Amino acid sequence: MVNVARAVLSGDLSPGAGGLDVDGATISTTVAIGVTPVDPGSDSLDDALSHADQALYRAKRQGPNRVQV
């Protein structure tokens, strides 16, 4: 997951410098990603999703193209 986030932020997975072409219209895209480590022995799914959600909203507050852990 973190490798995908790094690839997006580095531009390796970007659709192009000018944006994404859809039916002749250029659409600009950004991404915000929240990532959390999970310990299968002690973290519940609900806890993991809550932590990832909190990280996502921290990324969104920082501006476009951000990853937060």
Side-chain angles (χ1 to χ4, degrees):
M1 177 68 73
V2 173
N3 290 336
V4 171
R6 285 185 183 137
V8 169
L9 292 176
S10 72
D12 291 344
L13 297 181
S14 68
L20 180 63
D21 182 38
V22 177
D23 295 330
T26 301
I27 299 173
S28 297
T29 59
T30 62
V31 63
I33 299 173
V35 179
T36 189
V38 177
D39 179 358
S42 64
D43 292 332
S44 72
L45 178 59
D46 286 339
D47 288 342
L49 290 174
S50 177
H51 293 298
D53 192 51
Q54 291 170 24
L56 168 65
Y57 283 95
R58 281 195 307 274
K60 286 183 175 192
R61 283 192 299 270
Q62 290 183 1
N65 302 323
R66 303 290 177 175
V67 177
Q68 277 291 301
V69 178

